């Protein structure tokens, strides 16, 4: 058995999330303080009550000191971790297991990234010393590889596919326009999206997630203690993670229309949560829409759409904010940008609001199960996280 | 006795129209932004060694060495996948070095060795000057060996060295300078004639019986009187290729010789005269073996395979003459010496691995098979000469490059194996799934004084 899971054993009892955007006037420590304070308040706890911390950041700082120094946490365990773009989710997963183990009563998972100080557009990631043969492809380029492959395999003409991808961006921007914490809060017309300057392959600027700063935090405890802290806790049904062997980089069998890592982690999560028909049972999802083709392929990898059919579901509005299975109701990476360490927890923050009925104009009627999906790497070589949460 | 066993050539894809710089008719060959003398030499060397041929010695000749200190010949050797036991030497400082390297290689062949000579140049001149307009970029390679293997045997040679200020450049300067051309023409001209006569006499060949005459000089005026002085019919003088590619420095005499060998018949006698700071004269006789020996790509095929709409500012940018605003991306990182050394077979020779248990190909080489999990059960496999096809691709407008967009293809190799390759010498608008590609050795970028060499793919030429 791949993983036994911790269904209904751990609860989220408080969350915080900063507005995402270009915080020229704030450092990572400011963002951490804001997210943590909002989370403490939301769970009605004093900082002294929290026993241990998991801090996710890809490159905005090093070690647990980044958090303990900013928050002046006195002599408690702080783990700093990194798992590429799934870093924020990874902080949550490890914190949840620590609680489930009984080692701690109350813990915090917190993620932060400060991308706007680099001076570059897009992600600027430092490599370990290398031999000079590593790919120079930027992130949008690696994900744009999905588009021609999908178009060819499922016989979707490129101009139709361009409309499908634009429809995904249009939807996520529409959702983001209703979210006070999003970086971009304006609807964008299909025309503007389709005619934007090119970035990579079929992708224009609006097919790419923004670049922003932000932080988000969650406070977790064992399920039986949840009501000590809040009347409306949410419960973890599944936490799944898969790191691939990079098969797609080597094997000609991989065809760039799927993420095997996502398929595996989704299957694992559904098994843990007892979900057998994700298309019907998952009320809503926050997925890793780093680039529009990613979201398209994810719909199939997670079983929301049959193979080769997601493009039709997208055009039919199935995943719209008011559709039968809303995807990225908060606006997604498209509207929030993608401060690496924070994004996974920002996704969970939307689940927290939606399941508690606090999502305001974006509120989904009567959600039962929410899914978050976080992906790091590139098609053929990635890590994938899937969680399922509910009441 | 010794002779030429094999040969190969390489002319880059791009041409600059002389009209675009107000310099008359014709075009010059231009090394792409990702090429230098070492990579040009490698491409020519691959052509000469195709099919596998062992050599004892490598001689690399260029006046545009990528490194002033550090053996560029070692780069060529590694990229050609020659064993480290091959002795490598480098000749420089004069465009005659290409012909001199052949002469020297023939001496070593005479002594029983098989020698690979690679000669190449990226000829850069000051904007508006003659070198810029009349120069060209190319590589050529010869395998020299015993008479028994020769397609063209050396029958006579002579050389002369002359201390003269004709064309020169100090290390601190980028562009060569030259004295009034008539000075060398009148001073060196007679020496060229004398030396050539000496070589023909050593060969026992009458000038009238020559089938082809290759004349190349840093100062073409020094050669002007030679045909008449020796009684050579003008029709025997081979096309110097200057209208189609320009004079390609150290490579040029060899390149014209290669174009002659492409059409030579057994029994043909070929005179090669190369002038700069003196002269080298070589006389060859083509053997029957030229009919059966593996044929390299003809020089004319390289000449015809081109893109000749290169804009002058782009040319200046590629040569580093014209400053330009870099993309707003981090500068490329210098590769690390220990990692390059550990991965040398991969980086330089494009050697991957294949699982001995399940035959899955791996680029870069892996210790654990991605398909069956076998550990340390791989054999090395060189993919440099394996053709591949585009499985999917993208144009990256954001990545750092001197020629955006960066074109990247997921390439699937014949016989199994996959690699995400940067494409070069490609029209971004023309790429499509299923295109056939071949590998080419390139200089990806230079960072902190380190040239980063690796392989790219290009449409078949």
């Amino acid at each position: 058995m791949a993983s036994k899971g911790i269904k209904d054993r751990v609860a989220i009892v408080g969350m915080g999330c900063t507005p995402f955007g270009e915080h020229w006037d704030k450092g990572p420590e400011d963002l951490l303080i804001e997210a943590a304070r909002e989370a403490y308040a939301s769970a009605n706890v004093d900082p002294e009550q929290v026993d241990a911390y998991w801090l996710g950041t890809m490159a905005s700082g090093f070690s647990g000191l980044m958090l303990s120094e900013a928050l002046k946490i006195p002599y408690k365990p702080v783990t700093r971790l990194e798992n590429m773009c799934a870093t924020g989710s990874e902080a949550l997963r490890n914190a949840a297991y620590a609680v489930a183990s009984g080692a701690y009563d109350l813990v915090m998972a917190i993620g932060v990234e400060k991308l706007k100080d680099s001076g570059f557009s897009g992600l600027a990631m430092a490599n370990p010393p290398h031999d000079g043969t590593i790919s120079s492809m930027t992130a949008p380029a690696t994900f744009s590889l999905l588009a021609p492959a999908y178009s060819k395999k499922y016989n979707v003409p490129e101009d139709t596919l361009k409309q499908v991808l634009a429809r995904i961006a249009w939807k996520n921007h529409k959702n983001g326009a209703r979210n006070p914490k999003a970086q971009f809060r304006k609807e964008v017309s299909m025309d503007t999206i389709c005619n934007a300057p090119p970035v990579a392959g079929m992708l224009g600027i609006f097919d790419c997630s923004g670049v922003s700063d932000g932080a988000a935090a969650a406070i977790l405890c064992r399920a039986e203690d949840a009501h000590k802290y809040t009347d409306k806790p949410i419960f973890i049904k599944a936490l799944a993670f898969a790191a691939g062997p990079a098969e797609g980089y080597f094997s000609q069998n991989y065809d760039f229309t799927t993420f095997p890592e996502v398929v595996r982690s989704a299957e694992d999560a559904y098994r843990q949560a007892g979900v057998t028909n994700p298309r019907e049972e998952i009320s809503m999802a926050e997925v890793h829409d780093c680039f529009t083709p990613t979201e398209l392929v994810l719909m199939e990898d997670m079983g929301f759409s049959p193979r080769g059919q997601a493009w039709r579901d997208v055009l039919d509005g199935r995943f719209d904010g008011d559709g039968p299975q809303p995807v990225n109701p908060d606006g997604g990476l498209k509207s929030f940008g993608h401060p690496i360490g924070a994004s996974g927890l920002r996704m969970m923050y939307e689940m927290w609001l939606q399941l508690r009925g606090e999502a305001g104009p974006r509120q989904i009627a009567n959600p039962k199960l929410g899914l978050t999906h976080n992906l790091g790497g590139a098609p053929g070589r990635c890590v994938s996280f899937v969680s399922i949460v509910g009441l | 006795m010794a002779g030429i066993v094999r040969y190969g050539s390489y002319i880059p894809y791009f041409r600059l129209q002389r009209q675009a710089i107000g310099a008359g008719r014709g075009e010059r060959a231009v090394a792409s932004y990702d090429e230098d003398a070492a990579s040009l030499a490698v491409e020519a060397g691959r052509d000469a060694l195709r099919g596998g041929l062992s050599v004892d010695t490598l001689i690399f000749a260029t006046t545009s060495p990528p490194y002033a200190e550090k053996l560029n010949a070692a780069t060529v050797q590694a990229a050609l996948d020659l064993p480290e036991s091959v002795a490598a030497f480098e000749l420089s400082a004069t465009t005659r070095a290409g012909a001199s390297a052949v002469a020297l290689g023939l001496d070593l062949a005479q002594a029983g060795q098989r020698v690979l000579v690679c000669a190449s140049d990226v000829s850069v001149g000051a904007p508006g000057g003659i070198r810029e307009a009349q120069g060209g970029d190319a590589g050529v390679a010869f395998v020299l060996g015993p008479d028994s293997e020769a397609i063209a045997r050396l029958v006579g040679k002579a050389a002369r060295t002359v201390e003269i200020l004709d064309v020169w450049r100090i290390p601190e300067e980028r562009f060569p300078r030259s004295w009034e051309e008539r000075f060398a023409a009148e001073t060196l001209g007679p020496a060229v004639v004398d030396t050539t006569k000496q070589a023909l006499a050593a060969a026992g060949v009458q000038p009238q019986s020559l089938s082809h005459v290759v004349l190349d000089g840093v100062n073409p005026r020094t050669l002007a009187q030679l045909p008449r002085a020796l009684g050579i019919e003008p029709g025997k003088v081979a096309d110097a290729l200057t209208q189609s590619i320009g004079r390609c420095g150290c490579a040029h005499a060899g390149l014209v010789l290669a174009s002659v060998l492409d059409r030579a018949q057994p029994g043909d006698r070929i005179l090669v005269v190369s002038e700069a700071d003196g002269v080298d004269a070589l006389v060859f006789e083509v053997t029957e073996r030229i009919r059966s020996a593996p044929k390299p790509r003809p020089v004319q095929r390289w000449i015809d395979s081109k893109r000749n709409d290169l804009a002058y500012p782009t040319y200046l940018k590629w040569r580093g003459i014209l400053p330009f605003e870099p993309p707003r991306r981090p500068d490329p990182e210098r590769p690390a010496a220990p990692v390059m050394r550990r991965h040398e077979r991969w980086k330089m020779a494009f050697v991957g691995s294949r699982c001995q248990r399940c035959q899955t190909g791996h680029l870069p080489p892996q210790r654990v098979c991605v398909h069956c999990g076998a550990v340390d059960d791989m054999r090395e496999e060189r993919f440099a000469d394996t053709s591949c096809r585009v499985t999917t691709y993208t144009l990256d407008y954001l990545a750092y490059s001197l020629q955006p967009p960066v074109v990247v293809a997921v390439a699937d190799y014949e016989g199994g194996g996959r690699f995400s390759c940067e494409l070069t010498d490609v029209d971004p608008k023309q790429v499509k799934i299923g295109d056939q590609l071949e590998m080419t050795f390139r200089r990806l970028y230079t960072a902190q004084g380190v040239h980063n060499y690796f392989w790219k793919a290009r449409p078949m030429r």
Side-chain angles (χ1 to χ4, degrees), chain A residues 45-389:
Chain A
V45 296
D46 290 328
E48 302 83 70
Q49 289 173 265
V50 176
D51 302 315
Y53 293 80
W54 277 260
L55 164 68
T57 186
M58 190 180 74
S60 298
F62 298 98
S63 92
L65 286 169
M66 184 192 180
L67 183 70
S68 63
E69 197 172 341
L71 268 60
K72 306 295 180 293
I73 299 167
Y75 312 104
K76 290 185 181 177
V78 182
T79 302
R80 180 257 167 166
L81 45 76
E82 177 276 324
N83 222 333
M84 279 201 280
C85 296
T87 294
S89 295
E90 194 60 334
L92 179 91
R93 192 174 72 101
N94 283 274
Y97 290 155
V99 168
S101 77
Y104 304 107
D105 293 331
L106 198 64
V107 304
M108 176 181 284
I110 186 164
V112 67
E113 213 71 54
K114 180 76 200 168
L115 297 179
K116 292 304 301 186
D117 285 355
S118 80
F120 302 112
S121 56
L123 259 187
M125 202 168 134
N127 291 302
H130 58 83
D131 66 3
T133 72
I134 56 173
S135 166
S136 63
M137 258 196 287
T138 58
T142 61
F143 284 91
S144 74
L145 291 171
L146 299 167
Y150 189 95
S151 160
K152 192 169 169 78
K153 181 169 183 182
Y154 297 118
N155 212 9
V156 183
E158 291 214 350
D159 49 346
T160 307
L161 188 59
K162 179 81 187 162
Q163 290 288 314
V164 172
L165 300 179
R167 185 68 167 63
I168 290 169
W170 171 84
K171 165 190 67 100
N172 290 349
H173 277 296
K174 187 176 177 196
N175 292 345
R178 287 156 183 73
N179 194 329
K181 293 200 172 180
Q183 176 183 22
F184 303 114
R185 299 190 53 209
K186 268 203 267 194
E187 294 196 24
V188 184
S189 74
M190 285 288 284
D191 250 20
T192 305
I193 295 167
C194 288
N195 296 311
V199 173
M202 208 186 283
L203 309 187
I205 282 179
F206 284 99
D207 291 293
C208 309
S209 64
V211 179
S212 65
D213 309 319
I219 293 178
L220 297 88
C221 68
R222 283 185 301 280
E224 61 264 31
D225 299 333
H227 287 276
K228 285 189 207 166
Y229 305 103
T230 177
D231 294 339
K232 289 190 278 185
I234 69 172
F235 295 92
I236 289 173
K237 309 293 180 181
L239 294 171
F241 199 91
E247 202 175 349
Y249 265 36
F250 297 103
S251 170
Q252 297 191 3
N253 296 330
Y254 177 66
D255 68 3
F256 287 86
T257 62
T258 175
F259 300 94
E261 294 85 349
V262 174
V263 173
R264 300 297 183 95
S265 53
E267 282 172 358
D268 185 10
Y270 295 146
R271 199 160 44 228
Q272 291 177 31
V275 168
T276 54
N277 185 352
R279 185 175 168 92
E280 297 304 324
E281 293 173 62
I282 301 294
S283 318
M284 59 189 174
E286 283 290 322
V287 306
H288 200 89
D289 60 325
C290 51
F291 304 96
T292 50
T294 319
E295 181 166 324
L296 174 69
V297 165
L298 290 176
M299 297 303 98
E300 297 179 10
D301 283 346
M302 293 194 301
F304 293 179
S305 296
R307 283 281 162 211
Q309 297 299 316
W311 67 279
R312 290 185 200 277
D313 282 340
V314 167
L315 293 179
D316 289 349
R318 176 172 177 82
F319 308 118
D320 288 0
D322 54 2
Q325 192 169 30
V327 170
N328 290 326
D330 72 352
L333 300 170
K334 270 266 59 201
S335 302
F336 269 82
H338 181 26
I340 313 297
S343 286
L345 285 155
R346 183 269 301 161
M347 295 173 176
M348 188 56 75
Y349 182 69
E350 179 69 1
M351 295 296 118
W352 166 258
L353 296 178
Q354 291 282 359
L355 287 166
R356 289 158 54 93
E358 295 169 352
R362 312 187 305 283
Q363 184 61 47
I364 291 159
N366 200 23
K368 297 277 188 302
L369 284 182
L371 178 149
T372 73
H373 165 264
N374 216 188
L375 183 139
R381 179 177 174 273
C382 68
V383 297
S384 170
F385 167 89
V386 175
S387 84
I388 298 170
V389 290

Side-chain angles (χ1 to χ4, degrees), chain B residues 129-398:
Chain B
I130 283 181
R131 175 69 68 96
E132 179 186 64
Q134 301 299 322
D137 309 333
V140 70
F142 295 93
V143 178
L144 309 167
D147 200 36
S148 59
E149 298 177 348
I151 58 166
R153 89 167 56 89
L154 178 77
V155 289
K157 70 181 169 79
R160 194 169 301 190
T161 303
V162 178
E163 164 58 10
I164 185 171
L165 193 64
D166 181 16
V167 174
W168 72 97
R169 170 166 62 91
I170 59 172
E172 293 75 17
E173 290 188 349
R174 183 79 203 274
F175 309 119
R177 300 164 184 263
S178 52
W179 204 264
E180 181 187 3
E181 286 178 7
R182 285 152 35 86
F183 162 60
E186 289 177 21
T187 313
L188 260 183
V192 168
V193 172
D194 276 2
T195 311
T196 306
K197 280 183 177 163
Q198 209 182 320
L200 288 166
V205 167
Q206 294 301 315
Q208 294 74 16
S209 70
L210 289 168
S211 324
H212 310 277
V213 176
V214 173
L215 300 180
D216 172 64
V218 72
N219 183 341
R221 286 178 183 241
T222 59
L223 301 159
Q225 49 194 291
L226 184 75
R228 188 136 39 96
L230 267 65
I232 296 166
E233 292 170 41
K236 297 286 175 66
V237 178
D239 175 6
L241 309 176
T242 43
Q243 281 306 297
S244 50
I245 57 172
R247 178 173 184 264
C248 305
C250 278
H252 204 72
L255 204 60
V256 177
L257 172 58
S259 75
V260 165
L261 289 171
D262 283 340
R263 56 179 192 273
Q265 298 298 317
D268 280 2
R269 285 158 169 181
I270 306 170
L271 167 69
V272 179
V273 179
S274 175
E275 175 275 331
D277 306 295
V279 60
D280 273 292
L282 303 151
V283 186
F284 295 97
E285 189 174 88
V286 178
T287 74
E288 282 294 331
R289 214 163 283 104
I290 198 156
R291 295 192 202 275
S292 53
K295 290 258 179 279
R297 293 187 200 198
V299 172
Q300 192 60 44
R301 180 168 150 195
W302 290 121
I303 292 175
D304 295 340
S305 161
K306 65 176 176 183
R307 181 157 173 184
N308 64 358
D309 58 353
L310 187 66
Y312 185 45
T314 307
Y315 168 77
L316 293 174
K317 175 177 158 184
W318 285 2
R319 291 292 85 88
I321 295 167
L322 191 68
F324 64 97
E325 181 168 329
R328 292 198 182 164
R329 298 289 299 163
D331 288 336
E333 299 154 350
R334 175 179 79 174
V339 194
M340 289 196 283
R341 179 65 191 153
R342 284 200 297 276
H343 300 173
E344 187 232 307
R345 301 263 299 145
W346 161 243
K347 179 181 174 66
M348 301 304 288
F350 209 58
V351 171
S353 68
R354 191 172 293 283
C355 178
Q356 312 234 58
R357 203 182 294 174
C358 75
Q359 303 307 315
T360 299
H362 297 79
L363 301 93
Q366 300 292 302
R367 291 186 61 189
V368 181
C369 175
V370 75
H371 181 67
C372 75
V375 181
D376 291 334
D377 198 8
M378 300 265 180
R379 66 185 139 80
E380 290 192 322
E381 181 169 325
R382 188 166 195 240
F383 287 85
D385 295 316
T386 310
S387 81
C388 53
R389 283 184 190 280
V390 175
T391 287
T392 183
Y393 68 96
T394 189
L395 313 181
D396 194 338
Y397 295 92
L398 199 59

